[in-house]
Amino acid sequence: MKNIYDYSLEQLTEYFALIKQKPFRAKQVFSWLYQKDAQSFEDMSDLSKDLRNQLNEEFTLDVLKIKEKQVSRDGTIKYLFELLDGSLIESVLMIHDYGRSLCVTSQVGCNMKCTFCASGLLNKQRNLTAGEIVAQIIKVQEDVGQRISHVVVMGTGEPFDNYDNVMDFVRIINHPHGLAIGARHITISTCGLIDGINKYSEEGIQTNLAISLHAPNDEIRNELMPINKVYPMDDLREAVSNYISKTNRRVTFEYILLKDINDDIIYARQLAHYLRGLNAYVNLIPYNSVDEHGYQPSSKEQAEIFKSELLRLHINVTMRKEHGRDIDGACGQLRAKRNGVK
């Protein structure tokens, strides 16, 4: 069975032409899927019964199901989803003063092997389709009964290692007849795949780019993020600079603060030097400890010292509010536990 959420409006239009149906049927179905929250093809009351039966035979809306749900005291909800093939993935809903933000997963497992990250505890098994990423939003909206206003592709997997499906996903949720989530409310986070950044700079969409940096120099980044040995920091900086020039968009650099690893004030100065001249800001992230890796979060005092030094050196910086500390908050933790990783 085909996943109906894999289809863009254009692809649905082509499908209906193929089965000798009027093109406007595609907009009707799209509206039912994304505006009217149809739970089944039977709900699509303005389609003929024969057409609904045909769609029911060829497509499914039941792309994933909630396997487990953890609710934090701060309102954060972590979902463990089961896909049709039995694979498990995670999404995290965070409540902000500006709306509800969903962190979605783009791959089953991850091959980037960042040493602090729970996502890499299980190797990549496959890419998610565009529809499987879309379905995470649909299912969460259905579960909480409220609209998702912001989306970050920052869960398990490297989005630019699944480039085409992620871009199709973005176009579907951004489409005015789709979920109509504004481009500037969509963020894609990469660990630094330069080829992906270069392609992304040519897309012509006003979505946001975030770079998982997490280190002030190549020596530390090589230890934390093996991808740095392929795409070192100078090359990454050049790609980001080119992206900013082409898109006129500001870039976020994510920096997880790890005790005695990357949180010394000297490293704040190195980071400021690296970023000088870029239209960028730093998002400092308190670390959610992963037992398997042994890293510890920086103290609040040290985190404030690091942040203050960046501000002194005229670097725009924010400290991310902690979410889900009392649940399996780090990407991949819940899935790894359910797959028997200790």
Side-chain angles (χ1 to χ4, degrees), residues 48-230:
S48 71
K49 188 170 183 180
D50 286 346
L51 181 53
R52 278 179 278 162
N53 287 340
Q54 184 169 355
L55 291 172
N56 211 36
E57 288 173 6
E58 291 194 40
F59 297 99
T60 180
L61 279 72
D62 192 19
V63 179
L64 47 77
K65 64 181 179 182
I66 298 173
K67 187 82 171 173
E68 188 171 334
K69 188 166 85 167
Q70 295 182 341
V71 182
S72 168
R73 289 187 297 271
D74 63 23
T76 301
I77 304 175
K78 169 157 262 195
Y79 292 89
L80 183 69
F81 292 120
E82 184 176 15
L83 302 172
L84 290 176
D85 65 357
S87 298
L88 301 177
I89 61 170
E90 296 174 25
S91 303
V92 181
L93 176 66
M94 292 161 286
I95 312 300
H96 302 278
D97 52 8
Y98 55 76
R100 288 166 179 78
S101 176
L102 187 68
C103 179
V104 298
T105 282
S106 58
Q107 295 179 313
V108 180
C110 185
N111 282 343
M112 295 299 109
K113 299 299 181 189
C114 299
T115 61
F116 52 83
C117 182
S119 295
L121 291 172
L122 294 161
N123 289 335
K124 173 186 165 185
Q125 296 171 23
R126 67 175 177 86
N127 289 326
L128 295 187
T129 69
E132 287 173 323
I133 311 175
V134 171
Q136 294 170 57
I137 304 176
I138 299 296
K139 186 61 75 173
V140 170
Q141 288 191 153
E142 176 188 319
D143 184 59
V144 299
Q146 293 170 313
R147 184 176 184 272
I148 301 302
S149 59
H150 294 68
V151 173
V152 290
V153 189
M154 209 176 281
T156 299
E158 163 53 54
F160 286 166
D161 189 37
N162 186 16
Y163 188 90
D164 291 340
N165 285 325
V166 168
M167 287 300 109
D168 286 344
F169 157 76
V170 168
R171 293 187 187 97
I172 290 170
I173 68 169
N174 176 236
H175 198 286
H177 296 295
L179 289 175
I181 297 173
R184 297 191 180 196
H185 290 179
I186 301 169
T187 300
I188 297 176
S189 175
T190 177
C191 67
L193 271 61
I194 288 176
D195 292 346
I197 295 170
N198 291 337
K199 284 174 70 176
Y200 190 54
S201 69
E202 303 289 345
E203 291 289 344
I205 49 178
Q206 293 291 297
T207 45
N208 303 307
L209 176 65
I211 306 294
S212 293
L213 192 67
H214 308 311
N217 57 53
D218 281 321
E219 183 181 4
I220 294 175
R221 199 165 193 264
N222 284 344
E223 290 297 317
L224 295 178
M225 305 178 71
I227 194 67
N228 196 68
K229 296 170 185 175
V230 182

Side-chain angles (χ1 to χ4, degrees), residues 293-304:
H293 295 321
Y295 293 109
Q296 296 299 317
S298 300
S299 67
K300 289 186 177 180
E301 293 77 14
Q302 188 60 32
E304 281 302 321

Side-chain angles (χ1 to χ4, degrees), residues 276-318:
R276 188 153 288 121
L278 291 178
N279 181 16
Y281 77 96
V282 176
N283 189 11
L284 297 176
I285 304 172
Y287 181 57
N288 272 328
S289 296
V290 178
D291 293 342
E292 293 79 6
H293 295 321
Y295 293 109
Q296 296 299 317
S298 300
S299 67
K300 289 186 177 180
E301 293 77 14
Q302 188 60 32
E304 281 302 321
I305 290 170
F306 197 95
K307 178 184 175 184
S308 296
E309 185 66 5
L310 290 177
L311 288 171
R312 187 185 72 81
L313 295 169
H314 309 293
I315 299 298
N316 291 319
V317 57
T318 58

Side-chain angles (χ1 to χ4, degrees), residues 234-252:
D234 283 348
D235 294 347
L236 176 59
R237 190 188 188 285
E238 183 180 359
V240 171
S241 180
N242 290 337
Y243 168 85
I244 292 170
S245 297
K246 287 181 180 178
T247 64
N248 200 30
R249 300 287 292 145
R250 185 171 68 164
V251 171
T252 302

